[in-house]
Amino acid sequence: MAAKRAYLDYNASTPLLAAAREAMVAALDLTANPSSVHAEGRAARRLIETARREVAALVNARPEHVVFTSGATEAASTLLTPDWQMGRGSVRMSRLYVSAADHPCLLNGGRFPAAQVTRIGVDASGIADLVALATALDAHDEADGLPLVAIHAANNETGVIQPIDRIAGIVKAAGGVLVVDAVQAAGRVSIDMSAGYADYLILSSHKIGGPKGVGAIVAAADLMMPKPLINGGGQEKGHRGGTENLAAIAGFGAAAREALAELQAMDAVRQRRDEIEAIVKTLVPEAEIFGTGAPRLANTTFFAIANVKAETAQIAFDLAGVALSAGSACSSGKVGPSHVLKAMGYGDSLGALRVSIGSATGAEDIELFRAALAGIAARQAARDKADRDKAA
């Protein structure tokens, strides 16, 4: 294993920020339950409410519309349900519409039966087919219930950014409800929930420099909410039972505060991403970089090298001191064909590598990537030559 290492897998999880660590350590010194009414309990509650304001500020939402969860997957499972509440009444969502390139936590449909989930295709760049979405929603039978649309703001593999403003317009015109998975977008692009960005937003702490094991649902309003996934003692205004994870929530809040301040750093991150892509095209001219025909996150590149299996290249990078991913890191360590590339029309056999970086990524990290890729390219060239010589 190489002595020096470059961490280029920010879309899987970001390094814990110093501010988040400090907030967590301070929270660990608070003994009380935040639901307790004594002074110690009120101190713990103030910490949670501070974090709630910080998370809300990241997406320009109202703090009282933030519900803390154990992560983005729980948030998705909570929101993706046919059963909703409006005051004391019930509201039913009769069908879920998702993008074929969505993260598995959306693609799997949450609490909807598989027969009630419709997948909307994407184009070769990974942008959702808006005509197909509008057509599907036009055909939706509201007699059975409302349509619920769930889509990622930015793809975790390609970094492609969806036209959420246009999607929101289509969903609103159809009388539907829009859930946006902003896990990869938050802290990397500006999000304004006050401007009708979405009805509900999904966030994850460890994608923005906070701890793992905490996320949030952010609502545009509090008139309607899904029936709880976890019932308990009425925490989070009854939307999510269970004593709050005080330290994790404190770290999440601090990370959100830092992420909001760091939004202006994305131009510098984009320059480093472009440098990485230039290295790829120089060392492996035939490499294909996906999603370049659409707006992308500044920190993400997803590419394939002809005749090189993604898992083989990932291992080679790791041995050379570079941590990156072969697609999503959310499949228990399994590496297989990318469903995102398949949805984009590339078939099952193509594997790709994802490089995702942050504001802390520096010249030394990029140099380690260059050296590792040069070695992979040289070995593949030698194998190709040997195959040609053998065939001759």
Side-chain angles (χ1 to χ4, degrees):
M1 192 73 69
K4 292 182 178 179
R5 295 194 57 84
Y7 184 77
L8 306 179
D9 202 15
Y10 277 60
N11 285 10
S13 191
T14 54
L16 186 67
L17 293 170
R21 184 189 301 274
E22 292 168 6
M24 294 173 71
V25 170
L28 290 172
D29 288 332
L30 295 180
T31 303
N33 189 312
S35 295
S36 298
V37 297
H38 46 60
E40 290 83 356
R42 295 197 303 273
R45 173 55 53 187
R46 282 196 297 272
L47 188 150
I48 288 179
E49 297 311 317
T50 296
R52 203 183 306 277
R53 290 192 295 273
E54 291 168 329
V55 170
L58 177 60
V59 294
N60 199 22
R62 296 182 63 168
E64 61 268 29
H65 295 164
V66 174
V67 176
F68 289 116
T69 67
S70 67
T73 297
E74 184 195 321
S77 294
T78 300
L79 289 166
L80 304 190
T81 179
D83 301 313
W84 288 64
Q85 298 170 322
M86 181 179 290
R88 296 183 179 181
S90 296
V91 177
R92 181 164 179 79
M93 306 290 171
S94 57
R95 179 162 290 276
L96 172 66
Y97 301 85
V98 298
S99 156
D102 271 330
H103 188 279
C105 74
L106 300 186
L107 204 59
N108 292 337
R111 292 185 272 174
F112 277 88
Q116 294 177 18
V117 179
T118 296
R119 295 187 178 184
I120 303 298
V122 300
D123 66 17
S125 293
I127 297 293
D129 186 337
L130 302 190
V131 173
L133 175 62
T135 300
L137 292 179
D138 284 344
H140 180 87
D141 185 359
E142 292 189 10
D144 292 333
L146 299 176
L148 180 64
V149 177
I151 191 166
H152 58 281
N155 190 266
N156 61 306
E157 293 188 6
T158 63
V160 167
I161 299 170
Q162 297 294 329
I164 297 298
D165 55 343
R166 296 174 62 193
I167 292 170
I170 292 170
V171 175
K172 183 177 180 180
V177 175
L178 177 62
V179 172
V180 172
D181 170 6
V183 165
Q184 298 294 345
R188 294 168 184 162
V189 298
S190 180
I191 296 174
D192 187 355
M193 282 292 280
S194 73
Y197 182 84
D199 296 304
Y200 302 89
L201 208 63
I202 297 170
L203 300 178
S204 175
S205 165
H206 75 105
K207 306 295 188 178
I208 60 169
K212 302 171 185 66
V214 62
I217 294 168
V218 183
D222 58 2
L223 296 176
M224 184 172 69
M225 288 293 287
K227 287 190 176 179
L229 178 67
I230 300 175
N231 291 293
Q235 293 87 352
E236 297 298 294
K237 295 184 178 179
H239 299 308
R240 199 274 186 183
T243 301
E244 295 92 342
N245 186 341
L246 190 62
I249 289 172
F252 187 9
R257 183 182 67 242
E258 295 292 311
L260 183 59
E262 282 286 306
L263 271 174
Q264 68 270 19
M266 286 301 109
D267 286 342
V269 171
R270 181 178 290 103
Q271 291 176 9
R272 297 187 192 106
R273 192 274 311 274
D274 291 348
E275 184 178 348
I276 288 169
E277 292 187 347
I279 289 169
V280 171
K281 296 304 288 184
T282 297
L283 294 176
V284 191
E286 70 277 13
E288 182 163 9
I289 300 173
F290 302 103
T292 56
R296 290 183 295 157
L297 294 176
N299 79 315
T300 305
T301 185
F302 195 44
F303 67 95
I305 303 172
N307 302 320
V308 178
K309 291 184 178 180
E311 57 266 39
T312 301
Q314 183 183 21
I315 293 169
F317 271 109
D318 189 34
L319 293 174
V322 179
L324 46 71
S325 286
S328 173
C330 299
S331 302
S332 300
K334 297 177 182 178
V335 176
S338 166
H339 76 279
V340 174
L341 291 182
K342 183 178 179 181
M344 292 165 62
Y346 288 97
D348 287 326
S349 60
L350 187 62
L353 296 166
R354 181 187 68 190
V355 174
S356 50
I357 63 176
S359 59
T361 304
E364 187 175 12
D365 299 312
I366 294 175
E367 176 54 28
L368 282 171
F369 171 83
R370 187 205 62 76
L373 181 58
I376 292 169
R379 290 190 293 273
Q380 184 59 38
R383 284 192 290 268
D384 290 345
K385 183 178 184 303
D387 289 343
R388 290 193 300 269
D389 292 345
K390 185 177 180 180

